[in-house]
Amino acid sequence: MRTYRTDSPEAAARLLAMALVADGHYAIAEIKALDRLDAPARLGLTPEAFKQVIDHFCEDLLLASHGEWLGSAAIDATTRRRLFAEVQSAALGAEVRSLCEAVMLCDGHLADGETALLDELARAWPQATTSPPAA
C-alpha cells in the first residue's frame, strides 16, 4: 500500500475508499451517497483527486492479493492499523467515520466486512459522532 502524509485529504479519502469496498464491491447507491454528501470537498479534495485515491487503493488491493479481488475486508490487521494511523486528528477522524457510516448504511444493508469496519472506526475515533449525515 502506498503511504500518505498523516492527516492528509488522501489518507482520509483512502479510509472512505476502504468503506466503499468493505463488502467486496461498491454499489451505485454508495457512489450517489458520496455525491450527495459532497464527500470529496468535505475531505479537501476535488472529485478527480478523490477518484484517483479510490483507483490507487483498488490497485494496491489487487497488488497485495496478487491479482485476486478480495475487497478491503481482506486487508491484514497490520496494514489496517497503518492505514488508520495515517489519520490522527480527532476532527478528521470524526469526519471520516461519519462519511463511512453514511456510505455503508445508504443501501439499508450492512455486509460482514462493513460491520467489521464500522467497529474498527468506532475504536479508532471513539469520540466521533455515531449519527451519520443524511445520505
Side-chain angles (χ1 to χ4, degrees):
M1 290 278 163
R2 44 197 103 204
T3 59
Y4 293 115
R5 185 176 38 82
T6 300
D7 291 329
S8 68
E10 294 82 6
R14 178 171 44 201
L15 294 177
L16 188 50
M18 186 185 298
L20 275 175
V21 295
D23 61 355
H25 65 279
Y26 55 89
I28 192 68
E30 293 167 331
I31 300 303
K32 287 180 179 180
L34 289 172
D35 288 341
R36 282 191 306 276
L37 294 165
D38 198 20
R42 288 173 59 178
L43 296 177
L45 293 170
T46 65
E48 296 78 19
F50 182 70
K51 182 187 177 310
Q52 185 175 38
V53 170
I54 293 171
D55 289 348
H56 286 164
F57 178 66
C58 291
E59 288 170 10
D60 289 347
L61 285 176
L62 283 170
L63 286 172
S65 65
H66 308 290
E68 184 179 0
W69 180 254
L70 302 172
S72 65
I75 296 173
D76 65 272
T78 301
T79 302
R80 278 184 183 272
R81 281 191 298 275
R82 186 174 55 77
L83 299 181
F84 272 79
E86 287 184 348
V87 175
Q88 295 290 312
S89 161
L92 183 57
E95 184 74 352
V96 167
R97 180 176 169 189
S98 179
L99 288 168
C100 288
E101 287 177 357
V103 167
M104 288 189 279
L105 293 169
C106 77
D107 62 2
H109 167 10
L110 285 176
D112 291 344
E114 292 172 324
T115 301
L117 184 55
L118 284 174
D119 289 345
E120 288 181 83
L121 290 165
R123 286 190 298 276
W125 304 289
Q127 70 286 355
T129 180
T130 57
S131 298

